[in-house]
Amino acid sequence: MEGENEVKLHGMWASTYSKRVELALRVKGIPYEYIEEDLRNKSPLLLQYNSVYKKVPVLVHNGKPITESYIILEYIDETWQNGPRLLPQDPYQRAQIRFWASFIQQQLFGSFYKLISSNGEEQEKAVEEVFEKMNVLEKGMKELLPEGVPEVDGNNSGVLDILVTATFGPYKAHEEVFGLKVLDPEKYPLLFSWVQKLNEIPLVKGVLPPHDKLVALLQFIKQNDLKPSS
Amino acid sequence: MGEVNLHGEWSSPFSYRVIWALKLKAIEFEYIEEDLSNKSPLLLQYNPIYKKIPVLVHGGKPISESMIILEYIEETWPKNPLLLPSDSFERAMARFWIKFSEEKGPTIWKIFVTSGEEQEKVKNESLEILRTIEEKGLGEKKFFGGENIDLLDLAFGWMPYWLGVIEEILGLKLLEADKFPRLHAWIKNFKQVSIIKDNPPDRDRMLIHFSSLREKLLH
């Protein structure tokens, strides 16, 4: 249909959820206006667009807001049919990808959160849990990609590439601040090599948060015992 | 296209969503009742990560997580009837509310497994959640899907049956008719849909089963 195709993204530079959407827009080659939100002082527009959760990211397409990063990814894939497909056509493969997206979100992020918000014995348990979930993810990805990680570039990235990048891309900053090697190349060789490949792509380099700036923010959050939130 | 099997459990709203979706689409399937205290080897093989029901098996390939199963059903057997909006923005809205139901549902279930002050707190949170669903999720529509039910109505299928069971066992009314008129109307309409009417969960059995569950939890 003709007419304007105005795309805006309300995001936050350090938010992994926000990064997912930026990566998707760039992979698809969709021009967009980016609005940086100060999460301590959210814009009235953001609160209006996402009145239920009041969070970033929010994609606004021709004035209509779409929220929840994974839902935004599927929306982008379905609305802009030119360019690489973020999700495969086959319903069974789509179900598998949705399964892993949900696992990363609920299981993995859930245990990361426990890790950074607990102390002492509880934290030790949380560490164990993180390693268990990473194991499950590594195994799952091995089964999903029996020939190993395909060569990725900015033109053929899919939803899993985007999720892996947004989650693990800044792993060095996470290690530096939290003193824990989560993305261990010996324990999780497939995930590790996948992240290395993705981090080399110029498109990814252009999107991921700058290392030093991210370290400073994470240190601040850690020292002030704040809860990360979008 | 391949045989369809559903591993489910008689008292689970997640299981029922899938039964209703399959029946709405007139898909032939074999139902396998799982005893959750003694899960079948097949179930553990099909869903090794979560070991939960429901699991849909199509042509030998397993799909788990009820809403993922529902989207799979919609994509594999498209139309007849359409269970998600065809417009991508409307579809994103439906998925938003499906996710809301998934995330907030457990809070409401918590009323059943708590007591005293904690229960009071959860009850208040639940009322807020129901208020949001009433005003922002459903609004003025007959069904969440508009004129006819769709996946989103199925995602809220716990409300017409399971919420009532919890309310009765606990002797409290969360979804009062005068406070939530739209949801009350929706519940009535939902139960009238012929597929739903013909395939309701076993309320009497659930009252007994969940009552004894509540007893055990409190002691």
Side-chain angles (χ1 to χ4, degrees), chain A residues 121-148:
Chain A
E121 207 184 290
E122 225 188 279
Q123 195 179 52
E124 276 173 36
K125 270 202 216 144
V127 170
E128 283 305 309
E129 205 186 290
V130 165
F131 288 147
E132 257 176 61
K133 310 280 179 182
M134 288 291 289
N135 248 338
V136 172
L137 185 63
E138 172 83 5
K139 207 173 143 204
M141 292 302 99
K142 274 206 187 105
E143 280 170 24
L144 205 62
L145 305 164
E147 272 130 63

PDB file of all heavy atoms in Angstrom, chain A residues 121-148:
ATOM      1  N   GLU A 121      24.813 -18.118  49.737  1.00  0.00           N
ATOM      2  CA  GLU A 121      24.440 -19.479  49.337  1.00  0.00           C
ATOM      3  C   GLU A 121      23.409 -19.484  48.224  1.00  0.00           C
ATOM      4  O   GLU A 121      23.452 -20.315  47.311  1.00  0.00           O
ATOM      5  CB  GLU A 121      23.892 -20.230  50.556  1.00  0.00           C
ATOM      6  CG  GLU A 121      24.092 -21.720  50.471  1.00  0.00           C
ATOM      7  CD  GLU A 121      23.446 -22.442  51.651  1.00  0.00           C
ATOM      8  OE1 GLU A 121      23.971 -22.288  52.769  1.00  0.00           O
ATOM      9  OE2 GLU A 121      22.420 -23.105  51.436  1.00  0.00           O
ATOM     10  N   GLU A 122      22.486 -18.523  48.322  1.00  0.00           N
ATOM     11  CA  GLU A 122      21.454 -18.420  47.289  1.00  0.00           C
ATOM     12  C   GLU A 122      22.079 -18.144  45.934  1.00  0.00           C
ATOM     13  O   GLU A 122      21.648 -18.664  44.905  1.00  0.00           O
ATOM     14  CB  GLU A 122      20.505 -17.286  47.663  1.00  0.00           C
ATOM     15  CG  GLU A 122      19.051 -17.636  47.508  1.00  0.00           C
ATOM     16  CD  GLU A 122      18.161 -16.421  47.704  1.00  0.00           C
ATOM     17  OE1 GLU A 122      17.911 -16.078  48.874  1.00  0.00           O
ATOM     18  OE2 GLU A 122      17.746 -15.825  46.692  1.00  0.00           O
ATOM     19  N   GLN A 123      23.132 -17.326  45.944  1.00  0.00           N
ATOM     20  CA  GLN A 123      23.783 -16.986  44.691  1.00  0.00           C
ATOM     21  C   GLN A 123      24.528 -18.180  44.124  1.00  0.00           C
ATOM     22  O   GLN A 123      24.567 -18.376  42.917  1.00  0.00           O
ATOM     23  CB  GLN A 123      24.731 -15.793  44.865  1.00  0.00           C
ATOM     24  CG  GLN A 123      25.137 -15.203  43.515  1.00  0.00           C
ATOM     25  CD  GLN A 123      26.058 -14.012  43.649  1.00  0.00           C
ATOM     26  OE1 GLN A 123      27.068 -14.084  44.327  1.00  0.00           O
ATOM     27  NE2 GLN A 123      25.707 -12.925  43.002  1.00  0.00           N
ATOM     28  N   GLU A 124      25.109 -18.989  45.022  1.00  0.00           N
ATOM     29  CA  GLU A 124      25.806 -20.190  44.549  1.00  0.00           C
ATOM     30  C   GLU A 124      24.837 -21.110  43.819  1.00  0.00           C
ATOM     31  O   GLU A 124      25.163 -21.673  42.783  1.00  0.00           O
ATOM     32  CB  GLU A 124      26.432 -20.940  45.730  1.00  0.00           C
ATOM     33  CG  GLU A 124      27.782 -20.377  46.125  1.00  0.00           C
ATOM     34  CD  GLU A 124      28.313 -21.019  47.411  1.00  0.00           C
ATOM     35  OE1 GLU A 124      28.079 -22.237  47.594  1.00  0.00           O
ATOM     36  OE2 GLU A 124      28.930 -20.291  48.198  1.00  0.00           O
ATOM     37  N   LYS A 125      23.644 -21.221  44.404  1.00  0.00           N
ATOM     38  CA  LYS A 125      22.602 -22.046  43.751  1.00  0.00           C
ATOM     39  C   LYS A 125      22.234 -21.456  42.408  1.00  0.00           C
ATOM     40  O   LYS A 125      22.016 -22.175  41.425  1.00  0.00           O
ATOM     41  CB  LYS A 125      21.348 -22.090  44.636  1.00  0.00           C
ATOM     42  CG  LYS A 125      21.308 -23.210  45.615  1.00  0.00           C
ATOM     43  CD  LYS A 125      19.878 -23.499  46.050  1.00  0.00           C
ATOM     44  CE  LYS A 125      19.834 -23.902  47.516  1.00  0.00           C
ATOM     45  NZ  LYS A 125      18.660 -23.409  48.226  1.00  0.00           N
ATOM     46  N   ALA A 126      22.154 -20.121  42.381  1.00  0.00           N
ATOM     47  CA  ALA A 126      21.785 -19.433  41.145  1.00  0.00           C
ATOM     48  C   ALA A 126      22.828 -19.684  40.058  1.00  0.00           C
ATOM     49  O   ALA A 126      22.502 -19.857  38.878  1.00  0.00           O
ATOM     50  CB  ALA A 126      21.613 -17.945  41.401  1.00  0.00           C
ATOM     51  N   VAL A 127      24.098 -19.694  40.448  1.00  0.00           N
ATOM     52  CA  VAL A 127      25.175 -19.960  39.492  1.00  0.00           C
ATOM     53  C   VAL A 127      24.998 -21.348  38.873  1.00  0.00           C
ATOM     54  O   VAL A 127      25.085 -21.526  37.663  1.00  0.00           O
ATOM     55  CB  VAL A 127      26.569 -19.846  40.164  1.00  0.00           C
ATOM     56  CG1 VAL A 127      27.655 -20.350  39.229  1.00  0.00           C
ATOM     57  CG2 VAL A 127      26.850 -18.411  40.560  1.00  0.00           C
ATOM     58  N   GLU A 128      24.719 -22.323  39.740  1.00  0.00           N
ATOM     59  CA  GLU A 128      24.487 -23.696  39.259  1.00  0.00           C
ATOM     60  C   GLU A 128      23.370 -23.730  38.246  1.00  0.00           C
ATOM     61  O   GLU A 128      23.452 -24.389  37.212  1.00  0.00           O
ATOM     62  CB  GLU A 128      24.079 -24.600  40.445  1.00  0.00           C
ATOM     63  CG  GLU A 128      25.207 -25.025  41.353  1.00  0.00           C
ATOM     64  CD  GLU A 128      26.326 -25.704  40.597  1.00  0.00           C
ATOM     65  OE1 GLU A 128      26.031 -26.645  39.836  1.00  0.00           O
ATOM     66  OE2 GLU A 128      27.491 -25.280  40.756  1.00  0.00           O
ATOM     67  N   GLU A 129      22.302 -23.005  38.599  1.00  0.00           N
ATOM     68  CA  GLU A 129      21.131 -22.982  37.727  1.00  0.00           C
ATOM     69  C   GLU A 129      21.468 -22.367  36.372  1.00  0.00           C
ATOM     70  O   GLU A 129      21.045 -22.879  35.324  1.00  0.00           O
ATOM     71  CB  GLU A 129      20.020 -22.185  38.407  1.00  0.00           C
ATOM     72  CG  GLU A 129      18.640 -22.577  37.924  1.00  0.00           C
ATOM     73  CD  GLU A 129      17.545 -21.691  38.491  1.00  0.00           C
ATOM     74  OE1 GLU A 129      17.286 -21.795  39.709  1.00  0.00           O
ATOM     75  OE2 GLU A 129      16.972 -20.892  37.721  1.00  0.00           O
ATOM     76  N   VAL A 130      22.247 -21.279  36.376  1.00  0.00           N
ATOM     77  CA  VAL A 130      22.641 -20.648  35.121  1.00  0.00           C
ATOM     78  C   VAL A 130      23.396 -21.655  34.249  1.00  0.00           C
ATOM     79  O   VAL A 130      23.118 -21.794  33.055  1.00  0.00           O
ATOM     80  CB  VAL A 130      23.497 -19.387  35.351  1.00  0.00           C
ATOM     81  CG1 VAL A 130      24.194 -18.953  34.071  1.00  0.00           C
ATOM     82  CG2 VAL A 130      22.650 -18.252  35.896  1.00  0.00           C
ATOM     83  N   PHE A 131      24.341 -22.364  34.841  1.00  0.00           N
ATOM     84  CA  PHE A 131      25.124 -23.327  34.056  1.00  0.00           C
ATOM     85  C   PHE A 131      24.262 -24.461  33.513  1.00  0.00           C
ATOM     86  O   PHE A 131      24.442 -24.907  32.385  1.00  0.00           O
ATOM     87  CB  PHE A 131      26.283 -23.885  34.897  1.00  0.00           C
ATOM     88  CG  PHE A 131      27.383 -22.891  35.140  1.00  0.00           C
ATOM     89  CD1 PHE A 131      28.124 -22.904  36.319  1.00  0.00           C
ATOM     90  CD2 PHE A 131      27.695 -21.925  34.189  1.00  0.00           C
ATOM     91  CE1 PHE A 131      29.137 -21.972  36.541  1.00  0.00           C
ATOM     92  CE2 PHE A 131      28.711 -20.993  34.404  1.00  0.00           C
ATOM     93  CZ  PHE A 131      29.434 -21.023  35.582  1.00  0.00           C
ATOM     94  N   GLU A 132      23.284 -24.876  34.332  1.00  0.00           N
ATOM     95  CA  GLU A 132      22.357 -25.922  33.862  1.00  0.00           C
ATOM     96  C   GLU A 132      21.583 -25.456  32.639  1.00  0.00           C
ATOM     97  O   GLU A 132      21.445 -26.186  31.658  1.00  0.00           O
ATOM     98  CB  GLU A 132      21.331 -26.187  34.963  1.00  0.00           C
ATOM     99  CG  GLU A 132      21.526 -27.429  35.772  1.00  0.00           C
ATOM    100  CD  GLU A 132      20.487 -27.500  36.888  1.00  0.00           C
ATOM    101  OE1 GLU A 132      19.279 -27.541  36.553  1.00  0.00           O
ATOM    102  OE2 GLU A 132      20.904 -27.492  38.063  1.00  0.00           O
ATOM    103  N   LYS A 133      21.045 -24.225  32.737  1.00  0.00           N
ATOM    104  CA  LYS A 133      20.245 -23.709  31.619  1.00  0.00           C
ATOM    105  C   LYS A 133      21.102 -23.505  30.375  1.00  0.00           C
ATOM    106  O   LYS A 133      20.669 -23.744  29.246  1.00  0.00           O
ATOM    107  CB  LYS A 133      19.581 -22.371  31.975  1.00  0.00           C
ATOM    108  CG  LYS A 133      18.840 -22.355  33.285  1.00  0.00           C
ATOM    109  CD  LYS A 133      17.462 -22.964  33.205  1.00  0.00           C
ATOM    110  CE  LYS A 133      16.814 -22.912  34.582  1.00  0.00           C
ATOM    111  NZ  LYS A 133      15.522 -23.500  34.652  1.00  0.00           N
ATOM    112  N   MET A 134      22.327 -23.041  30.577  1.00  0.00           N
ATOM    113  CA  MET A 134      23.228 -22.850  29.437  1.00  0.00           C
ATOM    114  C   MET A 134      23.497 -24.198  28.755  1.00  0.00           C
ATOM    115  O   MET A 134      23.568 -24.272  27.528  1.00  0.00           O
ATOM    116  CB  MET A 134      24.555 -22.225  29.898  1.00  0.00           C
ATOM    117  CG  MET A 134      24.452 -20.753  30.290  1.00  0.00           C
ATOM    118  SD  MET A 134      24.141 -19.661  28.872  1.00  0.00           S
ATOM    119  CE  MET A 134      25.748 -19.737  28.031  1.00  0.00           C
ATOM    120  N   ASN A 135      23.623 -25.222  29.575  1.00  0.00           N
ATOM    121  CA  ASN A 135      23.821 -26.574  29.052  1.00  0.00           C
ATOM    122  C   ASN A 135      22.661 -26.996  28.161  1.00  0.00           C
ATOM    123  O   ASN A 135      22.855 -27.544  27.079  1.00  0.00           O
ATOM    124  CB  ASN A 135      23.836 -27.562  30.216  1.00  0.00           C
ATOM    125  CG  ASN A 135      25.191 -28.154  30.400  1.00  0.00           C
ATOM    126  OD1 ASN A 135      26.000 -28.174  29.484  1.00  0.00           O
ATOM    127  ND2 ASN A 135      25.460 -28.654  31.576  1.00  0.00           N
ATOM    128  N   VAL A 136      21.454 -26.741  28.678  1.00  0.00           N
ATOM    129  CA  VAL A 136      20.256 -27.101  27.927  1.00  0.00           C
ATOM    130  C   VAL A 136      20.228 -26.342  26.602  1.00  0.00           C
ATOM    131  O   VAL A 136      19.932 -26.898  25.548  1.00  0.00           O
ATOM    132  CB  VAL A 136      18.980 -26.787  28.753  1.00  0.00           C
ATOM    133  CG1 VAL A 136      17.739 -26.985  27.906  1.00  0.00           C
ATOM    134  CG2 VAL A 136      18.920 -27.686  29.981  1.00  0.00           C
ATOM    135  N   LEU A 137      20.579 -25.047  26.670  1.00  0.00           N
ATOM    136  CA  LEU A 137      20.570 -24.223  25.458  1.00  0.00           C
ATOM    137  C   LEU A 137      21.599 -24.726  24.447  1.00  0.00           C
ATOM    138  O   LEU A 137      21.318 -24.861  23.257  1.00  0.00           O
ATOM    139  CB  LEU A 137      20.831 -22.759  25.807  1.00  0.00           C
ATOM    140  CG  LEU A 137      20.743 -21.760  24.646  1.00  0.00           C
ATOM    141  CD1 LEU A 137      19.334 -21.734  24.059  1.00  0.00           C
ATOM    142  CD2 LEU A 137      21.150 -20.356  25.102  1.00  0.00           C
ATOM    143  N   GLU A 138      22.801 -25.015  24.935  1.00  0.00           N
ATOM    144  CA  GLU A 138      23.870 -25.498  24.058  1.00  0.00           C
ATOM    145  C   GLU A 138      23.437 -26.788  23.362  1.00  0.00           C
ATOM    146  O   GLU A 138      23.566 -26.931  22.149  1.00  0.00           O
ATOM    147  CB  GLU A 138      25.148 -25.739  24.901  1.00  0.00           C
ATOM    148  CG  GLU A 138      26.288 -26.426  24.169  1.00  0.00           C
ATOM    149  CD  GLU A 138      27.154 -25.493  23.333  1.00  0.00           C
ATOM    150  OE1 GLU A 138      26.933 -24.257  23.377  1.00  0.00           O
ATOM    151  OE2 GLU A 138      28.051 -25.988  22.625  1.00  0.00           O
ATOM    152  N   LYS A 139      22.869 -27.679  24.146  1.00  0.00           N
ATOM    153  CA  LYS A 139      22.428 -28.974  23.612  1.00  0.00           C
ATOM    154  C   LYS A 139      21.317 -28.776  22.592  1.00  0.00           C
ATOM    155  O   LYS A 139      21.312 -29.387  21.529  1.00  0.00           O
ATOM    156  CB  LYS A 139      21.924 -29.829  24.782  1.00  0.00           C
ATOM    157  CG  LYS A 139      22.052 -31.306  24.558  1.00  0.00           C
ATOM    158  CD  LYS A 139      21.690 -32.092  25.817  1.00  0.00           C
ATOM    159  CE  LYS A 139      20.955 -33.375  25.389  1.00  0.00           C
ATOM    160  NZ  LYS A 139      20.106 -33.916  26.432  1.00  0.00           N
ATOM    161  N   GLY A 140      20.382 -27.880  22.946  1.00  0.00           N
ATOM    162  CA  GLY A 140      19.256 -27.591  22.063  1.00  0.00           C
ATOM    163  C   GLY A 140      19.702 -27.006  20.739  1.00  0.00           C
ATOM    164  O   GLY A 140      19.197 -27.374  19.670  1.00  0.00           O
ATOM    165  N   MET A 141      20.683 -26.104  20.802  1.00  0.00           N
ATOM    166  CA  MET A 141      21.167 -25.477  19.578  1.00  0.00           C
ATOM    167  C   MET A 141      21.936 -26.492  18.716  1.00  0.00           C
ATOM    168  O   MET A 141      21.870 -26.457  17.490  1.00  0.00           O
ATOM    169  CB  MET A 141      22.052 -24.268  19.898  1.00  0.00           C
ATOM    170  CG  MET A 141      21.289 -23.092  20.527  1.00  0.00           C
ATOM    171  SD  MET A 141      19.911 -22.442  19.513  1.00  0.00           S
ATOM    172  CE  MET A 141      18.507 -23.241  20.283  1.00  0.00           C
ATOM    173  N   LYS A 142      22.647 -27.410  19.390  1.00  0.00           N
ATOM    174  CA  LYS A 142      23.355 -28.460  18.642  1.00  0.00           C
ATOM    175  C   LYS A 142      22.364 -29.297  17.844  1.00  0.00           C
ATOM    176  O   LYS A 142      22.620 -29.669  16.701  1.00  0.00           O
ATOM    177  CB  LYS A 142      24.120 -29.383  19.603  1.00  0.00           C
ATOM    178  CG  LYS A 142      25.481 -28.924  19.970  1.00  0.00           C
ATOM    179  CD  LYS A 142      26.387 -30.115  20.373  1.00  0.00           C
ATOM    180  CE  LYS A 142      27.720 -29.628  20.896  1.00  0.00           C
ATOM    181  NZ  LYS A 142      27.849 -29.733  22.360  1.00  0.00           N
ATOM    182  N   GLU A 143      21.205 -29.589  18.477  1.00  0.00           N
ATOM    183  CA  GLU A 143      20.202 -30.412  17.787  1.00  0.00           C
ATOM    184  C   GLU A 143      19.519 -29.639  16.670  1.00  0.00           C
ATOM    185  O   GLU A 143      19.211 -30.186  15.620  1.00  0.00           O
ATOM    186  CB  GLU A 143      19.135 -30.885  18.794  1.00  0.00           C
ATOM    187  CG  GLU A 143      19.608 -32.075  19.602  1.00  0.00           C
ATOM    188  CD  GLU A 143      18.670 -32.411  20.757  1.00  0.00           C
ATOM    189  OE1 GLU A 143      17.480 -32.054  20.674  1.00  0.00           O
ATOM    190  OE2 GLU A 143      19.148 -33.023  21.720  1.00  0.00           O
ATOM    191  N   LEU A 144      19.307 -28.353  16.938  1.00  0.00           N
ATOM    192  CA  LEU A 144      18.636 -27.515  15.950  1.00  0.00           C
ATOM    193  C   LEU A 144      19.537 -27.237  14.748  1.00  0.00           C
ATOM    194  O   LEU A 144      19.091 -27.096  13.614  1.00  0.00           O
ATOM    195  CB  LEU A 144      18.249 -26.186  16.616  1.00  0.00           C
ATOM    196  CG  LEU A 144      17.071 -25.414  16.031  1.00  0.00           C
ATOM    197  CD1 LEU A 144      15.810 -26.230  16.138  1.00  0.00           C
ATOM    198  CD2 LEU A 144      16.914 -24.103  16.777  1.00  0.00           C
ATOM    199  N   LEU A 145      20.837 -27.151  15.028  1.00  0.00           N
ATOM    200  CA  LEU A 145      21.811 -26.845  13.988  1.00  0.00           C
ATOM    201  C   LEU A 145      22.839 -27.974  13.914  1.00  0.00           C
ATOM    202  O   LEU A 145      23.986 -27.811  14.344  1.00  0.00           O
ATOM    203  CB  LEU A 145      22.535 -25.525  14.298  1.00  0.00           C
ATOM    204  CG  LEU A 145      21.653 -24.305  14.534  1.00  0.00           C
ATOM    205  CD1 LEU A 145      22.455 -23.200  15.205  1.00  0.00           C
ATOM    206  CD2 LEU A 145      21.093 -23.804  13.206  1.00  0.00           C
ATOM    207  N   PRO A 146      22.407 -29.123  13.383  1.00  0.00           N
ATOM    208  CA  PRO A 146      23.314 -30.281  13.401  1.00  0.00           C
ATOM    209  C   PRO A 146      24.596 -30.079  12.603  1.00  0.00           C
ATOM    210  O   PRO A 146      25.604 -30.717  12.885  1.00  0.00           O
ATOM    211  CB  PRO A 146      22.465 -31.406  12.794  1.00  0.00           C
ATOM    212  CG  PRO A 146      21.337 -30.743  12.098  1.00  0.00           C
ATOM    213  CD  PRO A 146      21.135 -29.409  12.727  1.00  0.00           C
ATOM    214  N   GLU A 147      24.543 -29.140  11.626  1.00  0.00           N
ATOM    215  CA  GLU A 147      25.765 -28.884  10.862  1.00  0.00           C
ATOM    216  C   GLU A 147      26.569 -27.743  11.459  1.00  0.00           C
ATOM    217  O   GLU A 147      27.434 -27.183  10.798  1.00  0.00           O
ATOM    218  CB  GLU A 147      25.414 -28.558   9.407  1.00  0.00           C
ATOM    219  CG  GLU A 147      25.317 -29.804   8.545  1.00  0.00           C
ATOM    220  CD  GLU A 147      24.031 -29.827   7.751  1.00  0.00           C
ATOM    221  OE1 GLU A 147      23.868 -28.924   6.920  1.00  0.00           O
ATOM    222  OE2 GLU A 147      23.198 -30.733   7.978  1.00  0.00           O
ATOM    223  N   GLY A 148      26.258 -27.379  12.677  1.00  0.00           N
ATOM    224  CA  GLY A 148      26.976 -26.274  13.311  1.00  0.00           C
ATOM    225  C   GLY A 148      26.363 -24.947  12.910  1.00  0.00           C
ATOM    226  O   GLY A 148      25.385 -24.888  12.164  1.00  0.00           O
TER     227      GLY A 148
END
